[in-house]
Amino acid sequence: VHLVESGGGWVQPGGSLRLSCAASGGTFSPFRMGWFRQVAGREREYVASITWVGGSRYYADSLKGRFVISKDNGKNMVFLEMNSLKPEDTAVYHCGQRATVEVNEYTSWGPGTQVIVSV
């Protein structure tokens, strides 16, 4: 599976962005898809995830209420709506897949899309 993120860019504090993650390369049926973010020099941070069948959503506690994860099974895409953005949301955002319920590990990372929040 090949994942590619898009939709990043520069936005002022308080603004919004919608990130997309497109999957390609064979049969795509993960257990869950997730968004993570990473700032240079820091560990990758969990943002949100969604189960592929059923659509249950999970969020990092610090981001609840501002970020919304969604998906389009027909298009093999996952989205992240980010609202009320803050400078501390600046990071490279990656999507990854958790293939099975048995293995709590995300793989097949995309190259990421840069989000910059500043005046």
Side-chain angles (χ1 to χ4, degrees):
V1 173
H2 183 60
L3 302 177
V4 177
E5 304 90 344
S6 62
W10 172 81
V11 63
Q12 292 186 338
S16 298
L17 281 175
R18 186 178 190 236
L19 306 184
S20 300
C21 171
S24 62
T27 302
F28 184 69
S29 184
F31 166 64
R32 190 175 290 172
M33 291 296 294
W35 283 99
F36 293 71
R37 64 187 184 184
Q38 189 166 25
V39 176
R42 299 183 185 177
E43 291 189 356
R44 186 175 288 158
E45 175 189 15
Y46 171 78
V47 174
S49 58
I50 187 168
T51 55
W52 198 244
V53 177
S56 296
R57 307 177 188 192
Y58 307 88
Y59 298 94
D61 288 341
S62 62
L63 300 175
K64 284 181 181 177
R66 294 197 298 123
F67 288 15
V68 179
I69 190 171
S70 62
K71 61 184 178 67
D72 184 331
N73 290 49
K75 296 181 179 179
N76 287 345
M77 295 189 72
V78 181
F79 307 97
L80 185 69
E81 184 77 31
M82 306 187 296
N83 303 302
S84 301
L85 282 163
K86 305 174 182 180
E88 51 263 42
D89 294 319
T90 296
V92 177
Y93 285 71
H94 299 268
C95 64
Q97 70 158 353
R98 177 178 168 182
T100 66
V101 63
E102 293 83 7
V103 179
N104 186 12
E105 181 181 355
Y106 284 83
T107 60
S108 304
W109 298 102
T113 186
Q114 176 75 59
V115 171
I116 299 173
V117 185
S118 70
V119 297

